[in-house]
């Protein structure tokens, strides 16, 4: 698990990293995350489970990516603005 042990993290910037995909449990332990920025990467898909534990997320910036597939993965993000 990539982010194990930093459950209290509130802001995560993954900008300009050439990321293409996130695994289903990439953000599994980041339940307190409020802001996620993944700007200017190579994302092509938003997997169904990758974001399911981000229940406190308020801001999600996926701009400047090549997203082609968006699965129904935002239902648990009630705090998203």
């Amino acid at each position: 698990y990539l982010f194990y042990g930093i459950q209290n993290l509130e802001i995560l910037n993954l900008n300009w990293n050439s990321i293409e995909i996130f695994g289903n449990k990439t953000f599994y332990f980041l339940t307190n995350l409020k802001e996620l920025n993944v700007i200017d990467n190579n994302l092509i898909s938003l997997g169904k489970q990758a974001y399911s534990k981000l229940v406190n997320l308020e801001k999600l910036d996926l701009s400047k990516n090549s997203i082609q597939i968006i699965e129904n993965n935002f239902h648990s993000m009630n705090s998203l603005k």
Side-chain angles (χ1 to χ4, degrees):
Y1 298 107
L2 185 59
F3 298 107
Y4 178 77
I6 54 173
Q7 292 87 343
N8 292 323
L9 187 68
E10 293 187 4
I11 299 173
L12 179 60
N13 292 306
L14 296 172
N15 306 331
W16 308 290
N17 282 294
S18 300
I19 298 168
E20 295 181 1
I21 192 166
F22 289 117
N24 282 341
K25 296 191 177 184
T26 301
F27 305 112
Y28 190 80
F29 292 101
L30 297 181
T31 55
N32 291 314
L33 197 67
K34 294 182 191 262
E35 182 176 328
L36 175 60
N37 299 300
V38 192
I39 301 166
D40 204 2
N41 280 279
N42 297 322
L43 282 177
I44 56 171
S45 174
L46 299 181
K48 196 171 199 173
Q49 298 296 320
Y51 308 91
S52 65
K53 296 291 183 178
L54 299 177
V55 295
N56 291 308
L57 197 67
E58 297 175 0
K59 180 185 176 195
L60 174 63
D61 193 339
L62 299 167
S63 59
K64 296 186 181 178
N65 280 283
S66 300
I67 299 170
Q68 299 171 2
I69 300 169
I70 300 176
E71 297 182 34
N72 185 15
N73 50 11
F74 299 106
H75 63 277
S76 63
M77 296 183 195
N78 296 326
S79 300
L80 198 60
K81 298 178 181 178

